[in-house]
């Protein structure tokens, strides 16, 4: 499995681990959606973690190369729908960013409510400008909402890649922990968030983010028009 889930004391720990870059392909999206089904039915908060040294390297470029244009658009939409689910879903979601987070990897960070990073020699950023890709609507909308506005041009238009310390200032992360403490800190914060009244948390999250969610949803299936 590309992603696994274990629930302890009402906290669902979802871990991405494909043994490589934690690339986002149909298999990973499907595994994460199944894990979220379980979490939403049985838990009060979610921790989304990667494997040691790697949160996610972004969309699976090998899949992009083999899918053809229609398949690529379908994978982009599946990824966008996953982000919408995390970003607008009812439960608190805490990211344990266990290392590198690139491209779709940072958009997943944007979709989580609180983001704990790992101190260390890791790269965090949206590299689309470097790789010659146009930014999807979901990437731009989430970046506008979560990044420090003074970093938007550098991060998104110029493709600057940050280290974890500067990623906190830019708004990719909220705080750092030592590498062997990231997951534990994320679990502790998720436990605190799980104590908040769930109906109000869900309503406030969805309502605060409604405009961004609406713009992302409106873009689904529209790639061929861009």
């Amino acid at each position: 499995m590309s992603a696994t889930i274990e629930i302890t004391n009402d906290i669902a720990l979802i871990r991405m681990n494909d043994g490589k870059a934690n690339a986002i392909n149909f298999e990973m999206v499907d595994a994460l959606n199944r894990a979220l089904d379980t979490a939403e039915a049985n838990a009060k908060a979610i921790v989304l973690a990667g494997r040691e040294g790697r949160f996610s390297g972004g969309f699976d470029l090998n899949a992009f190369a083999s899918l053809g244009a229609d398949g690529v658009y379908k994978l982009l939409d599946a990824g966008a729908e996953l982000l919408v689910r995390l970003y607008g879903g009812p439960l608190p979601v805490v990211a344990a960013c266990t290392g590198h987070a690139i491209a779709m990897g940072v958009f997943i960070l944007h979709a989580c409510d609180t983001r704990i990073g790992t101190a260390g020699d890791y790269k965090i950023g949206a590299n689309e400008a470097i790789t010659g890709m146009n930014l999807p609507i979901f990437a731009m909308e989430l970046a506008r909402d979560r990044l420090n506005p003074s970093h938007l041009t550098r991060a998104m238009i110029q493709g600057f890649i940050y280290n974890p310390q500067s990623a906190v200032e830019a708004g990719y992360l909220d705080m750092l922990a030592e590498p062997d403490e990231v997951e534990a800190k994320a679990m502790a914060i998720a436990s605190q968030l799980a104590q908040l009244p769930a109906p109000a948390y869900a309503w406030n999250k969805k309502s605060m983010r409604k405009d961004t969610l609406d713009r992302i949803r409106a873009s689904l299936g529209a790639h061929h028009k861009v």
Side-chain angles (χ1 to χ4, degrees), residues 59-129:
F59 277 114
D60 186 341
L61 298 182
N62 290 329
F64 275 178
S66 62
L67 284 170
D70 189 53
V72 168
Y73 291 145
K74 283 179 176 160
L75 179 53
L76 285 169
D77 278 349
E81 287 166 1
L82 174 67
L83 295 173
V84 163
R85 185 173 187 181
L86 289 166
Y87 190 65
L91 298 184
V93 183
V94 180
C97 183
T98 44
H100 299 294
I102 298 293
M104 182 64 173
V106 293
F107 307 142
I108 293 172
L109 290 179
H110 286 332
C112 298
D113 301 345
T114 303
R115 294 82 47 91
I116 320 298
T118 308
D121 186 21
Y122 296 115
K123 294 179 169 64
I124 295 174
N127 66 347
E128 280 75 6

Side-chain angles (χ1 to χ4, degrees), residues 8-11 44-47 92 94 184-196:
T8 310
N9 298 326
D10 294 326
I11 309 302
K44 294 181 179 176
I46 295 166
V47 170
V94 180
K185 187 163 188 173
M187 293 290 284
I189 290 173
S191 295
Q192 292 172 338
L193 294 174
Q195 305 305 312
L196 294 172

